[in-house]
Amino acid sequence: MDETSQASFDTVMAFMAAMNEGPDAMSPLMADDMVWHNEGDMTVPWIHGDTKGKEAIFEFLGVFGAGLQTTKWENTDAFASGDTVAVFGVMNGVTTASGQEIGEFSFALRAKVRDGQVVLWHWFEDSFALSQAYHNRG
């Protein structure tokens, strides 16, 4: 892997690890103009397209954390090319609104890094299964 790709990969992996530690650990790894993108059922409070800027992302993560207890997050594949990092894996969780387990689902992430900070976090997941669990329809 070339030097730029390795640096991007290391930044994204460090950001993932920092998520378990909270905002103080995450903030230095985030660009001020970072965008967190997650789409799907807009009636689920933490799925709403683009969230822009650190302050808004931390507010979003508070809503996300209050709404979903992650019970599994396992990266299965990850690679980088230049400033772009792709991560694939499996997750599971319980929605606090219904207390219902989502069921294991696949995720993909496309992240972009600029100057040692994450500038884009584009999250892809099975939002249908999440919506079903959130609305207690599973």
Side-chain angles (χ1 to χ4, degrees):
M1 186 179 312
D2 67 75
E3 190 175 313
T4 300
S5 299
Q6 186 66 57
S8 296
F9 184 85
D10 292 346
T11 298
V12 169
M13 293 300 120
F15 184 73
M16 282 187 171
M19 287 180 184
N20 292 322
E21 299 174 37
D24 289 342
M26 295 168 63
S27 187
L29 297 167
M30 300 168 70
D32 289 337
D33 60 345
M34 179 178 169
V35 173
W36 187 299
H37 184 87
N38 192 356
E39 57 195 46
D41 181 351
M42 301 293 254
T43 66
V44 176
W46 60 89
I47 297 178
H48 57 275
D50 286 349
T51 303
K52 298 177 182 177
K54 284 185 187 182
E55 185 176 322
I57 290 170
F58 286 132
E59 287 177 27
F60 155 79
L61 290 172
V63 172
F64 172 76
L68 180 71
Q69 176 190 2
T70 301
T71 59
K72 180 177 187 174
W73 179 347
E74 182 180 316
N75 295 341
T76 56
D77 295 290
F79 58 89
S81 178
D83 68 347
T84 303
V85 179
V87 181
F88 304 90
V90 292
M91 288 185 72
N92 198 349
V94 175
T95 63
T96 56
S98 69
Q100 188 172 355
E101 184 176 345
I102 298 167
E104 194 169 291
F105 62 93
S106 299
F107 73 84
L109 165 70
R110 178 177 64 105
K112 294 266 189 189
V113 175
R114 181 182 69 223
D115 299 327
Q117 295 179 312
V118 177
V119 69
L120 173 66
W121 195 264
H122 190 162
W123 191 256
F124 302 87
E125 67 188 355
D126 183 352
S127 62
F128 180 75
L130 172 62
S131 174
Q132 293 296 96
Y134 179 82
H135 294 293
N136 200 22
R137 296 185 196 136

